[in-house]
Amino acid sequence: MNRREMLLLLAGTATLPDQLLAMGRAVHKRAHAGTLRALTPHQNETVATIAELILPKTDTPGARDAGVPAFIDVMLAEWVGDEERKMFTAGLADVDTRARAMFAKDFVACSAEQQTQLLTTLDAELARLRDTKADTSKSFLGGMKWLTLTGYYTSEVGATSELNYRVVPGRYEPCYPLDQ
Amino acid sequence: MKTYDAIVIGSGMSGGWAAKELTELGLQTLVLEAGRPIVPEKDYAEHVPMWEMKFRGMGDRQHVSKDQPIQQQCYACDEMASKFFVNDLENPYTTPDDKPFSWIRGRQVGGRSIMWGRQVYRWSDLDFEANVREGIGVDWPIRYADIAPWYDHVERFVGISGKAEGLPQLPDGQFLKPMPLNCGEQLVADAVARAWPGERVVTIGRCAVLTEAHNGRAACHYCGPCHRGCITRSYFSSVNATLPAAQATGRLTLRPYSVVQSVLYDRKAGRATGVRIIDAQTKHAIEFKARIVFLCASTIESARILLLSGIANSSGQVGKNLMDHIMGGGAGGRIDGPADRDTIGNRPNGIYVPRFRNIGKGKSSFLRGYGFQGGAGRSDWGRGAEQTGFGAEFKKSLRKPGPWGFSFYGFGEMLPDEKNVVEIDKTKVDAWGIPVARISCAYGENEKALVHDMSITAAEMLAEAGAHDINPYTSNNPPGLVIHEMGTARMGKDPKTSVLNAHNQCWDVPNLFVTDGACMASTACQNPSITYMALTARAAAYAVDAMKRNEL
């Protein structure tokens, strides 16, 4: 639905359609990135590198371009509890410990292949937890994946380029053929 | 001092209707609302995109868990809508330690009609006759024939989308065209119709959301988060519909920030004379006078006000028989919906399965019954967090919707019980110095049996539909969370055992009417709001007639 359609839809109501979509934006300024609040620059770069490995730039933008690292920093600073934050930063430290053991470098200094190899190991460990119905809530990668996906698909870039998200769909189709 | 013709306490679902009907019938009406005013153009937030929200819709968790620990238990108390729920620190109440009760509240113009679930189902005589048939509680003083024309009256104004099914236990109403079932739901509906013909029906929910323009309000545009408001006024609320209608008469005075402390009472005359409030901003007490008073503050608040006023309680029934519905039973599973089809748009409605237990032949081991809500849909990108894999292929796979799933969740009837009570806790006051409610309420064995049965019948319907990985479940929820509180000033036939007569009029105080959920003598299993609306309109017409005859 475009703006004109929206105006037509609203014709006859006593509201102020011009303000319709602008309204929320005026009130709810988006959180600006720039200053890190929960993470150190090194931790932030590690987060950004892993996020981009999970959802890389393809024919659509990747996690970095979608502002996922800034979102994760906000979530760590203001949303998660102290215990969860500690678990997350301990997980980041563990990634570096493993990288140094395997490749004698911090994770961010590793080659893309080395990074992929390490992340594959972590992903297999997470899969084992799932397969054995063990507790995955303490898994660093489990939390990192959830944060990355949430940050990406709810970003303007992710929701509009990768998904077909529309604030106002304008109609309900109960059984619509998917584009092949 | 000006004497109003009527004072309405509360501007929510029932208060909005009282305001509309009383003003349209010619009364100068003062509506007292405890909370702040609502300006749709400023306060509604349904079109804020996810990325404009700091926590992407997941809410200010740390802040909310401090200020709204009770309210956050409601799904609708989210990042954009938590402002429509009360601050629990300012609005305390107490419970016994072993009987938690989750009291979900909205204090603003429109009350909880802003965030309500919008499901609308009529009662039938199966419900009105249940108490007397089983010797539980008191008999309703009315039957379906008494309320049916008033259901018609309110439904024509509200605008209800739904499908007529011709079921005696769930009478059809004044329906706008129904929203469609999606292809996953159609599959389940067909399977259930084959397996339980004439007994179990999967129909589209009947809801107060417009599928076509109606009474100057626009059809739904399927944006989804109704509980954040609706600038096109496509769903019914006091703010969207009844209060503007009352305003249009020129006879409405709406006073926000008016926390009612008590109903003023002339002991000699046996009549209410007005209402005493605490101004929420100045904290000064103010009194308003009126010829009649409509108490529509919501079930627990209305009981609290009556108890604080010390009136209308010669039966000793004020505050007793607090009820909610019960939820927590159901089942989910994967279904073989068409892989090449999906839905577009966010339908603010699901399926409904009308009650099928204890009607006609076949008796269950429990009394009464339950209905199911639910629906079908395909999983989205969120499933990726539970999957192995990362990188370009992983990302590509999440572009497509996942498998079809279906969920049934039940809502069951709760029996009246004198042990479930609202009292005044003299040891604690709210932010305005008014003694708070003490709520003592627990589900009984019959309700627990309903929840167990829900999980079984939901699972067997999914099995009939060929579902995989069927997950029947039961869970324990504190009462209150269904947000259908009822019963604390029940209607009845006898002033010795009930608070209100057949017209929602206090037996003891003829010019005082209570028309919110407090009046209910039983709960049925249907969502109750439309019944409050119909009873309010009916009581308003009765009151105005009586005034014209100089009987009030």
Side-chain angles (χ1 to χ4, degrees):
Chain A
M1 165 167 293
N2 62 31
R3 198 182 130 73
R4 192 174 156 275
E5 289 169 318
M6 191 70 211
L7 291 172
L8 288 173
L9 177 81
L10 284 159
T13 69
T15 57
L16 299 168
D18 288 348
Q19 298 176 0
L20 191 67
L21 290 170
M23 171 183 314
R25 293 179 184 157
V27 183
H28 311 281
K29 297 275 184 230
R30 93 182 59 176
H32 284 287
T35 324
L36 291 172
R37 299 182 43 214
L39 297 173
T40 65
H42 174 73
Q43 287 172 326
N44 184 59
E45 186 54 28
T46 310
V47 162
T49 306
I50 298 171
E52 187 70 18
L53 281 164
I54 295 171
L55 295 175
K57 183 171 185 166
T58 52
D59 55 332
T60 61
R64 272 184 197 269
D65 291 337
V68 168
F71 166 73
I72 292 178
D73 185 60
V74 167
M75 291 291 280
L76 291 172
E78 291 187 50
W79 200 82
V80 306
D82 292 344
E83 282 306 307
E84 295 162 304
R85 188 184 312 106
K86 271 184 214 148
M87 227 148 55
F88 189 86
T89 49
L92 283 174
D94 176 59
V95 168
D96 271 340
T97 305
R98 290 175 188 242
R100 283 194 292 269
M102 288 167 74
F103 310 114
K105 280 178 281 197
D106 280 350
F107 183 75
V108 294
C110 290
S111 71
E113 274 171 16
Q114 290 169 333
Q115 288 169 345
T116 300
Q117 191 186 330
L118 206 166
L119 201 60
T120 304
T121 306
L122 291 173
D123 204 29
E125 288 173 11
L126 176 58
R128 250 193 314 281
L129 286 180
R130 270 197 216 100
D131 290 347
T132 56
K133 308 227 182 287
D135 181 15
T136 56
S137 68
K138 293 184 171 60
S139 157
F140 160 74
L141 188 62
M144 179 65 200
K145 266 194 176 176
W146 178 73
L147 283 167
T148 302
L149 265 57
T150 302
Y152 182 81
Y153 290 105
T154 63
S155 71
E156 183 165 14
V157 163
T160 56
S161 71
E162 188 68 17
L163 306 174
N164 241 337
Y165 176 79
R166 288 180 164 201
V167 173
V168 180
R171 68 190 205 275
Y172 179 70
E173 293 287 349
C175 206
Y176 196 76
L178 288 172
D179 299 331
Q180 292 308 304
Chain B
M1 181 193 225
K2 175 173 178 177
T3 295
Y4 291 92
D5 295 325
I7 290 176
V8 176
I9 301 173
S11 67
M13 198 61 84
S14 306
W17 267 100
K20 172 185 178 307
E21 299 295 293
L22 294 172
T23 55
E24 287 182 349
L25 291 167
L27 302 198
Q28 292 289 337
T29 303
L30 171 66
V31 174
L32 298 170
E33 165 54 51
R36 69 185 192 284
I38 291 294
V39 180
E41 287 73 14
K42 184 166 66 69
D43 292 313
Y44 286 176
E46 74 278 19
H47 294 147
V48 178
M50 297 174 291
W51 54 87
E52 301 281 353
M53 299 176 212
K54 187 169 180 184
F55 303 104
R56 307 287 169 88
M58 294 181 291
D60 191 343
R61 193 175 171 216
Q62 292 178 2
H63 192 254
V64 165
S65 58
K66 186 169 79 59
D67 293 344
Q68 298 181 300
I70 305 290
Q71 307 307 310
Q72 68 173 349
Q73 298 171 48
C74 174
Y75 75 96
C77 185
D78 68 11
E79 191 158 351
M80 287 293 108
S82 60
K83 64 181 179 182
F84 296 134
F85 294 80
V86 297
N87 178 314
D88 288 318
L89 306 180
E90 292 179 348
N91 296 277
Y93 61 96
T94 59
T95 64
D97 288 342
D98 61 342
K99 290 185 180 176
F101 186 96
S102 298
W103 189 11
I104 307 300
R105 308 159 73 184
R107 274 192 164 187
Q108 60 264 322
V109 171
R112 293 186 301 196
S113 77
I114 294 176
M115 322 82 90
W116 73 307
R118 307 167 306 282
Q119 292 286 302
V120 168
Y121 300 100
R122 288 188 179 202
W123 284 31
S124 72
D125 278 335
L126 178 72
D127 306 306
F128 288 112
E129 292 172 356
N131 278 0
V132 69
R133 195 168 48 235
E134 296 161 359
I136 287 172
V138 294
D139 188 14
W140 277 87
I142 58 167
R143 291 294 181 265
Y144 182 67
D146 298 305
I147 196 174
W150 294 100
Y151 277 136
D152 286 340
H153 175 78
V154 295
E155 286 172 358
R156 283 193 188 106
F157 180 77
V158 169
I160 313 292
S161 66
K163 182 162 177 274
E165 297 283 359
L167 300 169
Q169 75 274 35
L170 195 76
D172 297 324
Q174 303 292 328
F175 294 147
L176 307 178
K177 73 176 181 195
M179 292 179 189
L181 295 178
N182 66 40
C183 32
E185 291 158 352
Q186 193 62 57
L187 182 156
V188 174
D190 291 346
V192 169
R194 276 194 305 273
W196 292 276
E199 187 192 336
R200 298 191 195 177
V201 176
V202 177
T203 188
I204 186 69
R206 297 172 179 176
C207 74
V209 181
L210 302 178
T211 48
E212 44 201 297
H214 185 75
N215 289 342
R217 293 160 45 218
C220 177
H221 51 272
Y222 301 97
C223 72
C226 298
H227 57 280
R228 297 175 185 163
C230 183
I231 202 70
T232 59
R233 301 178 193 251
S234 304
Y235 80 85
F236 175 85
S237 70
S238 298
V239 177
N240 289 349
T242 42
L243 291 174
Q247 196 84 56
T249 65
R251 288 185 280 272
L252 172 71
T253 306
L254 174 59
R255 192 181 195 283
Y257 300 118
S258 304
V259 184
V260 172
Q261 189 186 49
S262 61
V263 174
L264 301 169
Y265 181 66
D266 179 339
R267 224 154 268 284
K268 239 193 255 162
R271 291 170 57 89
T273 57
V275 176
R276 180 184 169 90
I277 67 151
I278 306 295
D279 184 290
Q281 295 176 303
T282 66
K283 304 212 173 176
H284 289 158
I286 309 173
E287 294 185 353
F288 297 98
K289 303 282 182 193
R291 295 171 63 199
I292 62 168
V293 175
F294 266 62
L295 182 49
C296 304
S298 81
T299 293
I300 295 171
E301 282 291 7
S302 288
R304 181 183 174 205
I305 290 167
L306 288 178
L307 290 169
L308 286 167
S309 310
I311 58 172
N313 198 17
S314 66
S315 65
Q317 289 295 322
V318 171
K320 298 224 172 109
N321 306 297
L322 175 64
M323 301 171 278
D324 187 15
H325 283 136
I326 186 160
M327 63 178 181
R334 277 192 302 112
I335 55 171
D336 293 324
D340 60 346
R341 304 265 161 162
D342 197 5
T343 56
I344 292 181
N346 304 303
R347 187 190 61 192
N349 191 14
I351 60 95
Y352 191 68
V353 180
R355 176 176 155 188
F356 53 86
R357 286 303 201 209
N358 293 319
I359 56 175
K361 58 185 187 312
K363 290 277 174 256
S364 304
S365 59
F366 46 81
L367 298 172
R368 320 236 174 151
Y370 53 86
F372 283 113
Q373 297 184 31
R378 301 189 71 162
S379 60
D380 62 9
W381 55 264
R383 70 187 187 278
E386 302 298 321
Q387 287 175 359
T388 301
F390 59 91
E393 280 305 308
F394 176 73
K395 183 181 169 200
K396 197 176 162 193
S397 77
L398 294 178
R399 193 178 282 190
K400 288 196 178 137
W404 283 92
F406 194 101
S407 172
F408 283 117
Y409 44 92
F411 290 93
E413 179 157 1
M414 179 173 179
L415 299 175
D417 183 337
E418 280 202 2
K419 291 198 293 292
N420 291 327
V421 297
V422 176
E423 297 163 305
I424 299 300
D425 188 334
K426 296 193 178 85
T427 67
K428 201 174 179 100
V429 295
D430 64 16
W432 300 274
I434 303 173
V436 306
R438 179 166 181 82
I439 303 169
S440 179
C441 184
Y443 289 122
E445 290 310 312
N446 199 67
E447 287 83 45
K448 287 169 191 163
L450 291 176
V451 168
H452 177 67
D453 197 58
M454 290 170 190
S455 70
I456 295 168
T457 58
E460 69 190 13
M461 287 191 286
L462 287 171
E464 275 303 324
H468 316 276
D469 304 331
I470 297 170
N471 170 36
Y473 62 85
T474 61
S475 62
N476 280 321
N477 296 292
L481 265 189
V482 186
I483 326 180
H484 293 164
E485 316 93 73
M486 292 179 242
T488 53
R490 66 188 180 192
M491 294 167 78
K493 291 175 167 170
D494 182 349
K496 288 198 219 46
T497 57
S498 59
V499 181
L500 306 170
N501 69 14
H503 293 98
N504 296 75
Q505 183 179 28
C506 292
W507 290 111
D508 300 346
V509 189
N511 64 335
L512 176 60
F513 294 78
V514 183
T515 73
D516 57 26
C519 76
M520 307 293 274
S522 65
T523 71
C525 64
Q526 298 92 316
N527 306 55
S529 291
I530 196 74
T531 299
Y532 307 163
M533 298 188 219
L535 288 173
T536 302
R538 183 171 172 271
Y542 172 84
V544 173
D545 272 353
M547 287 169 90
K548 282 186 185 147
R549 292 194 307 269
N550 284 322
E551 290 171 15
L552 271 185

